[in-house]
Amino acid sequence: MAKFKIQKGLSDAEMMKQWGGEDNFEETMMEAERNAAKPVIHQSPQQSQDAFYREFLTEKVETLIGKMLLDIKMEYFKEGEGAFSIQVKRNGKNIVLETAPKKVK
């Protein structure tokens, strides 16, 4: 191991002049923790394309669609049907979700 000679009588500014960054120790450590906490996600082209399409569905829209589908499911359940299927269709500038009871095989 190499020995380093520590100069005596240096001021704080002289000791820190070799430190190139403006960040202090706390900021450096917090940045390292943030970078370590982010999972590395490798997406296939299909996954990135699906993610692009999902950007059009905000949380509010997803919640509203989910609530309405739950209401429809409860209506089917009251009628004695166990499950239902959903078909998505485009009617001009409108999107239509059609439901029907699933057929038992």
Side-chain angles (χ1 to χ4, degrees):
M1 293 184 74
K3 290 187 177 182
F4 295 101
K5 185 172 183 179
I6 300 173
Q7 294 179 353
K8 296 187 180 192
L10 295 176
S11 68
D12 289 344
E14 291 171 334
M15 286 189 282
M16 296 301 290
K17 72 179 178 182
Q18 293 179 0
W19 181 264
E22 292 293 323
D23 294 339
N24 59 24
F25 176 75
E26 289 84 7
E27 290 174 359
T28 304
M29 294 305 292
M30 290 180 70
E31 182 66 28
E33 286 179 8
R34 281 192 292 268
N35 290 338
K38 294 178 184 175
V40 178
I41 300 173
H42 300 283
Q43 291 185 340
S44 69
Q46 181 64 33
Q47 288 175 331
S48 62
Q49 188 177 18
D50 290 345
F52 172 73
Y53 294 142
R54 286 191 185 101
E55 288 182 13
F56 295 102
L57 295 174
T58 63
E59 284 187 38
K60 183 178 180 181
V61 171
E62 285 182 358
T63 302
L64 289 171
I65 292 171
K67 285 181 181 180
M68 289 179 191
L69 289 173
L70 178 62
D71 290 341
I72 292 169
K73 182 174 183 155
M74 294 306 295
E75 288 178 27
Y76 278 122
F77 181 74
K78 289 176 184 175
E79 294 172 2
E81 300 292 335
F84 68 99
S85 63
I86 303 170
Q87 290 184 347
V88 181
K89 296 182 179 182
R90 180 177 171 189
N91 186 3
K93 292 184 180 179
N94 296 319
I95 297 171
V96 179
L97 297 176
E98 292 183 357
T99 62
K102 274 193 176 175
K103 297 175 181 168
V104 179
K105 293 182 180 181

